[in-house]
Amino acid sequence: MTAALRSLLGGAIALLIALLVLGVAADLLGDPVSRQIGPEGDSAASAALRAALGLDAPWLERLLRPLLDLFRGDLGTSSWLRRPAGEAVAEALGVTLRLALIAWPVGVAAGAALGLALAALPARLARLPLLLLAVPGFVVAVVAVEVFAVGLGWVPAAGFSGIRSLLLPAALLAGALAVKLALILQDGLRAIATEPFAIFAEARGLSATRRLLAYRLLPASALLARFGALQAGYLLGGALVMETVFALPGLGRLAVLALQHGDLPLLRAAMLAAGTGFLVARFVAEAAQAALDPRPTAARIA
């Protein structure tokens, strides 16, 4: 638990530094004022927007202002949407949370079952699912849209109109998660099979089911918990490809649009939400692994 807390503190500090540097590095991303107003925009309007974004302030103030505003609970106002950045991020996060809540449990359950099946196969055959991960996610998503949305009409092709709009992207996310988890789990199960306690259990003549559950799957549960929790963090950060292909108003797509429009307050708020979700998921992952496998990190299988 101490290591998990140290990791959480270090990640939080890194996130705050990233949010601070974003204000200074905005010039490297292009001038957000010219993006929103245009090169031929009114000079007075440009100056007003620059002042509202804090881009006319000295670099030290630009560095510290986001942190001070954050401590006051003020995430700023989106210059693109003309509304509080926190409200826009909360709406987008709601869509991403629904997507994650559908995809994550299905992916973890399917990955655990597939991992057990792969562990029973010869090592060469068990690596075949790697070929699925070699296919770009957007290619799979586009093909799925053509087949299930356009061809069969089972689900909407794009946009968000309720849970039905999330079924196909959630299924694709769950499939990718299941393959990753299965490959990692089967590697862990193979490594556990060479441990002395597993060899001794086989020598005792225990049943295959008992050896699998008590002497292989139970020791691998720490690996399963850690990877599963980490993947939940990635999903909370926004499944960017799926949100883009299916035009879902989620957190990842909102961050990309904020970047395209040079909307620094909205981009900061989106980064804060995504980073916080990942940090919490990583803390849960490391705490769960420490509870299930209290050995030192160097002695663990994963």
Side-chain angles (χ1 to χ4, degrees):
M1 182 65 72
T2 302
L5 288 174
R6 286 200 301 265
S7 177
L8 179 63
L9 179 59
I13 293 174
L15 177 60
L16 289 177
I17 292 175
L19 292 174
L20 293 177
V21 173
L22 178 63
V24 178
D27 294 336
L28 301 178
L29 304 176
D31 186 9
V33 175
S34 62
R35 287 186 183 184
Q36 297 186 40
I37 297 182
E40 300 180 356
D42 181 74
S43 58
S46 299
L49 180 57
R50 190 173 297 276
L53 295 175
L55 299 178
D56 59 344
W59 72 270
L60 183 59
E61 182 179 346
R62 291 169 58 184
L63 184 68
L64 296 178
R65 179 184 293 178
L67 181 60
L68 297 176
D69 291 342
L70 178 62
F71 287 156
R72 292 197 299 265
D74 182 11
L75 297 179
T77 301
S78 169
S79 57
W80 166 47
L81 299 176
R82 308 294 182 183
R83 57 183 299 201
E87 292 182 2
V89 168
E91 289 182 4
L93 184 59
V95 176
T96 300
L97 278 174
R98 295 177 199 175
L99 184 63
L101 288 175
I102 298 173
W104 185 79
V106 175
V108 170
L114 182 59
L116 290 173
L118 292 177
L121 297 176
R124 290 184 178 180
L125 292 178
R127 310 306 295 178
L128 288 178
L130 277 173
L131 298 176
L132 298 176
L133 296 179
V135 181
F138 72 90
V139 174
V140 178
V142 170
V143 172
V145 169
E146 288 293 330
V147 174
F148 297 103
V150 178
L152 299 176
W154 289 353
V155 292
F160 178 70
S161 57
I163 296 299
R164 188 166 173 263
S165 304
L166 302 177
L167 295 180
L168 185 55
L172 296 176
L173 287 174
L177 171 58
V179 173
K180 295 176 186 176
L181 180 58
L183 290 171
I184 291 178
L185 180 59
Q186 66 98 10
D187 283 341
L189 292 173
R190 291 180 190 279
I192 290 174
T194 63
E195 293 286 332
F197 66 85
I199 297 175
F200 180 69
E202 185 175 0
R204 288 176 58 191
L206 299 179
S207 66
T209 301
R210 184 176 178 184
R211 293 201 312 270
L212 175 63
L213 295 178
Y215 290 88
R216 296 181 68 182
L217 187 57
L218 184 60
S221 60
L223 176 65
L224 183 64
R226 176 180 173 82
F227 185 78
L230 284 176
Q231 289 302 307
Y234 287 122
L235 291 176
L236 288 178
L240 177 59
V241 173
M242 296 304 160
E243 291 177 357
T244 301
V245 172
F246 290 92
L248 296 174
L251 189 60
R253 187 165 181 261
L254 181 67
V256 172
L257 292 175
L259 181 61
Q260 292 176 350
H261 289 82
D263 193 334
L264 297 181
L266 186 59
L267 183 59
R268 283 196 200 98
M271 287 178 58
L272 177 63
T276 301
F278 179 77
L279 288 177
V280 171
R282 190 174 72 171
F283 172 76
V284 172
E286 295 187 359
Q289 185 173 24
L292 293 170
D293 188 357
R295 294 176 297 167
T297 304
R300 293 173 181 163
I301 294 172

